[in-house]
Each structure stands twice: as structure tokens, then as C-alpha cells.
Amino acid sequence: QVQLVESGGGLVQAGGSLQLSCTIVRDIPRAYTVGWYRQAPGKQRELVATISGDGATSNYADFVKGRFTISRDNTKKTAYLQMKSLKPEDTAVYYCNAVRTVGLPGTYWGQGTQVTVSS
């Protein structure tokens, strides 16, 4: 069973930085496109960023462009979301998502990690 293990959330002041990590357990990481989503209280889950299996292509939601960077290290089976210039409106539970794009299809979610940005 594929699992995604997240880490790196926490409390930070506005303007600060955090890095989230998502490790793919029990499968080949480059077979997956990885995405980060977030869900704030009372709001729908929204896509933040995605990165292709080989790391060559990444996409960002407009509200994080220039502030967040998605990356991955397949040798460590881990994807990252580097978040800078954080704003209070970035406060949410952040979820890692992995979609298998090679071989048998499958979609998996991490357990979520809380990011709180204080003003």
C-alpha cells in the first residue's frame, strides 16, 4: 500500500518561511505527479502547486507564484514545498497528493499538516 508521509508544518509569523516535505513510501516516486493542496477552515480544498515525476515541469496557483517553490528529490523519494513571504491567508491544512502516471493508475493523499501564519 502506497503511503505519503508529510512533515514540516507549524506556526510562523507573517513574512516567515516554512518547508513542507512529502515522502512516498512503498513505490517508485518518479511514477507520480505530486501536488500540494490546502484547505482553510470553512473553505474548499484548493490546489497550490504540482510537479511532474521527473521534476522538469511545475505549476503554481496564482496566489503563491513568486512565494512558493515545489521541488522533488527522487533519490530521497521526497517532494518539497518551500514557502516564503507567508501571509495569514496562507493558514490552512496542507495536503500532499500523488497521482500515478506510469502503469496502474492510483491517487493517494497524505495525512495533512497544519500551517498557521500569525499576523
Side-chain angles (χ1 to χ4, degrees):
Q1 179 72 16
V2 176
Q3 288 184 311
L4 305 182
V5 179
E6 298 181 37
S7 62
L11 173 65
V12 65
Q13 288 188 330
S17 300
L18 280 175
Q19 179 171 274
L20 306 182
S21 300
C22 173
T23 299
I24 299 175
V25 179
R26 299 196 192 96
D27 206 343
I28 302 169
R30 65 185 304 119
Y32 293 83
T33 291
V34 173
W36 287 97
Y37 289 73
R38 70 185 188 185
Q39 188 167 18
K43 295 187 177 181
Q44 289 189 331
R45 190 171 297 189
E46 59 185 359
L47 177 64
V48 175
T50 62
I51 187 166
S52 59
D54 61 1
T57 304
S58 57
N59 293 285
Y60 297 90
D62 286 343
F63 53 79
V64 302
K65 282 182 179 177
R67 300 189 299 124
F68 291 10
T69 302
I70 191 169
S71 63
R72 65 191 298 162
D73 183 343
N74 286 339
T75 65
K76 297 181 179 179
K77 298 187 173 184
T78 301
Y80 305 94
L81 185 68
Q82 177 67 47
M83 304 182 292
K84 297 181 179 180
S85 302
L86 283 161
K87 306 174 182 179
E89 51 263 44
D90 294 318
T91 295
V93 178
Y94 283 71
Y95 295 92
C96 177
N97 166 271
V99 178
R100 208 174 203 280
T101 57
V102 177
L104 292 175
T107 300
Y108 303 91
W109 291 91
Q111 78 276 15
T113 186
Q114 177 70 46
V115 172
T116 303
V117 184
S118 63
S119 57

